[in-house]
Amino acid sequence: MFDTICSLPLTSEIFALSIHPKEPIFAAGLAGGHVEVRKLPEILDAEGNYTQCDAETGFGCVELAWRTRRHKGSCRCLSFGADPDVLYSAGTDGILKVASTESGQVISKIAIPQDQSSHFENAPTVIHALSPQNLLLATDSGSLCVYDLRAPTYFTSPQRPQTVLFPHEDYISSIAPLSPSSTSTSGTSKQWVSTGATTLAVTDLRRGVLVQSIDQRDDLLSCLFVDGLPTKGGRRSGEKVIVGNSSGLMTTWERGAWLDQDERIVVARARFESIDSLAVLPERMQLGGKVIAAGMGDGSVRFVELGINMVVDGCQHDDVESVVGLGFDVSGRMISGGGEVIKLWHEKVEGDPPGASATTNGHYSGESEDDDDDEASFSDEPVPGGQRKRRRKGDGREKGKDKHRVQFAGLD
């Protein structure tokens, strides 16, 4: 289904990946505290049509827009805002930072509330911009902070969260907003699903926690809201939440029936191959029904078609490290992150030679790509990508101005 275009080596392990909803841009948060934003070649014109460009003529490249050591500890999570000109990041230093997507300049800083009942730091786990008015921040203690972005002092001075909720007794692993109701006048989501430890919960912005599922006896690690599904039998709607757990099972939850799962899909036969990330394929890539991409703990990405509830294809991101970040940019290219590498993928076309996405009888294989270069070090201040130089660690000699540009043969 997909072939790899190129691999982007990182200086430390990736903890978070966020993809711009309107432009071919993505951001990565690293274990070393760095945040970097990269730009992909344009392959769509202003009207959304595919055009011949540098990506097709062999001169396309992934540009480093900016990179900085944003947090003193690791960068645990990051997300583009509902206004994608803003990038949110949070780290183990207990600080949530708001920065300009274009320049990387910090606009505001917010201290993450600490758990007074514990001597441990209340590290962030998930950031999600629910709407232009509200930002959600989840933590290891199970608290969920709701920030009001309309506050007059939001971008000028630190503020406390508008509300602190506790939908789970333990850490919160993922958040997925539900679509607004048909009677909504704002057109923005007011409810969301979260997973934490072994339960799923539904929370309303105004009414708080509405319901918590029964104990699933398995860690729930990722979730994704999917609509447009066919309605049949006793289903109330064509909307479901897809949840990935720690034992390789994908479960479906029908909207409105939150106490227990609806269906179970076996994604990984091997025990303890967790589903760490989820993404839905763009409409033009759907096979017959909705197809979900699942980032696995064994380093593979597996594609599950809903309806038949089967794995239909797969590709290998890494042979060891799990896929912690997964998604699709505006042009339909898949971006996966795990370990110390980010990989870009394009849709496989008929006649392409078999690559990392080859499958044989349901077994996924792919060769890992080794990089012989020494680890690069960068300045801690964000500067335009074209002005940055990579230096060999230890000897200080220049490796060249364009080493942060990764060239590849083309995009389809």
Side-chain angles (χ1 to χ4, degrees):
M1 185 173 286
F2 285 90
D3 275 330
T4 183
I5 303 171
C6 70
S7 298
L8 308 174
L10 304 170
T11 57
S12 60
E13 186 177 355
I14 183 172
F15 277 6
L17 176 69
S18 184
I19 301 173
H20 198 288
K22 298 179 180 179
E23 298 180 28
I25 297 174
F26 67 89
L30 308 183
H34 291 87
V35 173
E36 57 183 51
V37 171
R38 296 178 183 264
K39 295 182 178 180
L40 301 177
E42 295 271 5
I43 62 174
L44 297 177
D45 60 21
E47 298 179 354
N49 300 317
Y50 286 86
T51 59
Q52 187 176 26
C53 63
D54 286 345
E56 295 180 344
T57 57
F59 296 99
C61 63
V62 180
E63 297 186 24
L64 179 67
W66 55 267
R67 185 180 192 273
T68 183
R69 191 166 189 266
R70 179 105 307 156
H71 299 278
K72 293 181 179 179
S74 61
C75 177
R76 292 281 297 271
C77 50
L78 79 168
S79 174
F80 287 102
D83 173 6
D85 292 336
V86 172
L87 179 66
Y88 300 95
S89 66
T92 54
D93 55 2
I95 302 294
L96 187 157
K97 294 187 178 182
V98 189
S100 165
T101 298
E102 182 178 0
S103 66
Q105 185 70 36
V106 174
I107 302 172
S108 179
K109 301 179 183 179
I110 302 173
I112 299 172
Q114 296 301 305
D115 183 7
Q116 302 301 324
S117 62
S118 173
H119 298 292
F120 299 100
E121 292 184 356
N122 194 23
T125 57
V126 184
I127 297 178
H128 183 80
L130 185 65
S131 69
Q133 293 80 36
N134 300 105
L135 177 71
L136 307 179
L137 173 68
T139 67
D140 274 342
S141 68
S143 64
L144 182 60
C145 303
V146 182
Y147 290 93
D148 186 358
L149 305 184
R150 296 168 296 181
T153 60
Y154 176 70
F155 288 109
T156 58
S157 63
Q159 65 163 335
R160 287 186 166 275
Q162 178 187 13
T163 308
V164 179
L165 304 168
F166 292 88
H168 305 278
E169 289 74 26
D170 206 341
Y171 70 98
I172 298 175
S173 56
S174 65
I175 293 175
L178 299 176
S179 61
S181 65
S182 57
T183 59
S184 173
T185 56
S186 64
T188 58
S189 178
K190 297 292 192 298
Q191 293 184 351
W192 62 89
V193 169
S194 60
T195 58
T198 60
T199 60
L200 176 144
V202 179
T203 307
D204 186 275
L205 184 63
R206 293 155 293 191
R207 294 182 288 167
V209 180
L210 300 180
V211 62
Q212 186 185 84
S213 74
I214 62 175
D215 190 341
Q216 299 298 298
R217 301 183 181 277
D218 202 351
D219 285 339
L220 308 184
L221 304 179
S222 53
C223 66
L224 176 72
F225 175 74
V226 179
D227 58 5
L229 297 172
T231 57
K232 58 182 179 180
R235 293 181 180 175
R236 303 178 186 179
S237 67
E239 299 175 332
K240 286 195 173 188
V241 170
I242 311 300
V243 176
N245 65 26
S246 59
S247 61
L249 287 176
M250 182 183 292
T251 58
T252 66
W253 301 65
E254 186 159 351
R255 184 169 186 170
W258 302 117
L259 287 180
D260 203 358
Q261 59 189 254
D262 181 34
E263 297 174 307
R264 294 155 61 96
I265 305 170
V266 178
V267 181
R269 297 283 179 185
R271 188 168 175 81
F272 303 123
E273 291 300 348
S274 58
I275 302 176
D276 297 329
S277 53
L278 293 169
V280 60
L281 267 67
E283 288 292 336
R284 68 179 183 84
M285 296 182 182
Q286 303 291 346
L287 300 176
K290 294 279 187 178
V291 178
I292 306 299
M296 308 297 296
D298 64 356
S300 66
V301 179
R302 305 188 183 186
F303 302 98
V304 179
E305 184 174 347
L306 301 182
I308 63 173
N309 293 351
M310 292 178 59
V311 177
V312 294
D313 206 344
C315 55
Q316 196 74 26
H317 169 86
D318 191 88
D319 290 333
V320 178
E321 300 293 344
S322 64
V323 181
V324 299
L326 186 65
F328 296 85
D329 77 341
V330 292
S331 301
R333 291 168 290 203
M334 187 173 75
I335 305 174
S336 61
E340 296 185 2
V341 66
I342 292 175
K343 286 190 176 182
L344 307 181
W345 309 77
H346 69 156
E347 189 176 11
K348 186 192 298 184
V349 296
E350 188 175 354
D352 276 357
S357 62
T359 64
T360 304
N361 296 328
H363 298 283
Y364 303 92
S365 62
E367 294 295 326
S368 61
E369 300 184 15
D370 296 325
D371 182 73
D372 295 329
D373 291 342
D374 291 339
E375 181 181 357
S377 60
F378 293 85
S379 167
D380 288 347
E381 296 299 325
V383 300
Q387 298 179 5
R388 186 172 306 285
K389 297 178 181 179
R390 292 181 64 175
R391 299 178 182 274
R392 187 178 300 275
K393 187 176 180 180
D395 62 9
R397 291 177 294 178
E398 291 187 8
K399 295 180 69 176
K401 293 183 179 180
D402 296 321
K403 284 293 183 179
H404 63 272
R405 293 174 178 252
V406 180
Q407 296 184 341
F408 49 86
L411 294 174
D412 293 322

